[in-house]
């Protein structure tokens, strides 16, 4: 079983080792550590870990939170393959068939930021222009995408949103009135590092799609 753990801790020598020791005592194999931020005396890292069997996420959270100054911001399943380069794989597929640039994007971009699904929506009409296979097929009964009104997306810059049990990321598609929306039901709100990563990929895909 693979999990992503988002942990905030004091940015001081030995703090990362403390987290690693706790995970080791729980039988975890640390596959990857991603630094999200280092500022104001604190650090936020994502750990990609695996266990030989199932694991109680609450036990992991409780044990890590027992370390003074350490805070667990999220524990959730991930499909990320440590050491892979999904950004480059996505762009390679777009380059091979730029006419399907945005369809390829919504299929692949969730794995870049541990999201569950993605859609490109037209706020003016509420139409889901493209959707990944796990995404909803229609807008919900409130006239919004999982509780977020489609018309409201037109006024948003890249943003992290919350809607009920969903954590959402909304990114304007350059040169259009459409928005890319990503969602996950497990885990913490999207971090600004995830927002920036997805936006950079979207900008490149938009250029490749327009020149096809």
């Amino acid at each position: 079983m693979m999990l992503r753990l988002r942990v905030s801790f004091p940015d001081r020598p030995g703090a990362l080792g403390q987290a690693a020791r706790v995970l080791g005592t729980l039988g975890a194999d640390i596959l990857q550590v991603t630094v999200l931020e280092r500022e104001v005396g604190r650090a936020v890292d994502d750990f990609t870990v695996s266990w030989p069997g199932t694991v109680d996420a609450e036990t992991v959270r409780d044990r890590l939170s027992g370390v003074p100054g350490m805070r667990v911001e999220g524990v959730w399943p991930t499909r990320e393959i440590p050491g892979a380069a999904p950004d480059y794989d996505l762009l390679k597929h777009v380059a091979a068939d730029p006419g399907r640039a945005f369809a390829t994007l919504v299929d692949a971009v969730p794995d870049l930021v541990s999201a569950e699904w993605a859609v490109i929506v037209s706020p003016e009409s509420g139409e889901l222009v493209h959707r990944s296979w796990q995404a909803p097929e229609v807008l919900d009964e409130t006239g919004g995408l999982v509780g977020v009104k489609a018309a409201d997306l037109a006024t948003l810059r890249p943003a992290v949103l919350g809607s009920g049990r969903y954590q959402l990321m909304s990114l304007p598609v350059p040169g259009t009135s459409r928005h890319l929306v990503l969602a996950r039901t497990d885990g913490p709100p999207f971090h600004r590092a995830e927002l920036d990563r997805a936006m950079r990929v979207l900008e490149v895909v938009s250029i490749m799609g327009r020149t096809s």
Side-chain angles (χ1 to χ4, degrees):
M1 180 181 186
M2 280 207 308
L3 291 178
R4 176 76 67 86
L5 313 174
R6 181 159 299 166
V7 183
S8 170
F9 49 86
D11 189 10
R12 65 184 180 221
L16 181 61
Q18 286 182 298
R21 282 193 294 275
V22 171
L23 292 171
T25 62
L26 291 170
D29 183 11
I30 300 175
L31 305 177
Q32 182 170 284
V33 179
T34 302
V35 177
L36 296 180
E37 64 181 76
R38 288 281 192 278
E39 58 183 33
V40 197
R42 291 195 69 81
V44 179
D45 289 354
D46 274 3
F47 294 81
T48 302
V49 300
S50 71
W51 273 270
T54 59
V55 65
D56 182 357
E58 286 305 311
T59 298
V60 177
R61 186 187 297 273
D62 290 345
R63 290 286 293 276
L64 284 172
S65 298
V67 178
M70 195 163 292
R71 183 171 66 248
V72 180
E73 298 185 359
V75 180
W76 72 105
T78 181
R79 299 190 303 268
E80 178 184 0
I81 301 174
D87 316 58
Y88 300 127
D89 291 339
L90 188 163
L91 295 176
K92 178 183 70 176
H93 289 301
V94 171
D97 189 359
R100 297 191 69 258
F102 293 106
T104 300
L105 174 71
V106 297
D107 284 340
V109 74
D111 287 343
L112 269 62
V113 292
S114 289
E116 294 172 23
W117 51 260
V119 298
I120 290 180
V121 61
S122 173
E124 295 175 352
S125 64
E127 176 190 6
L128 298 186
V129 182
H130 300 286
R131 53 180 290 273
S132 63
W133 70 275
Q134 287 184 306
E137 296 184 10
V138 296
L139 300 180
D140 65 22
E141 66 275 6
T142 68
L145 179 65
V146 289
V148 175
K149 291 186 180 301
D152 292 343
L153 296 174
T155 63
L156 294 175
R157 296 179 179 180
V160 171
L161 310 167
S163 178
R165 67 190 184 97
Y166 288 96
Q167 300 294 342
L168 302 174
M169 179 194 303
S170 175
L171 306 172
V173 179
T176 76
S177 61
R178 298 171 177 176
H179 279 248
L180 172 68
V181 179
L182 296 99
R184 63 185 175 212
T185 54
D186 295 316
F190 289 102
H191 191 273
R192 65 175 181 271
E194 295 172 306
L195 189 79
D196 291 344
R197 183 183 188 187
M199 191 68 219
R200 287 196 299 270
V201 170
L202 174 59
E203 289 170 346
V204 175
V205 170
S206 297
I207 293 170
M208 297 169 75
R210 288 199 302 269
T211 58
S212 65

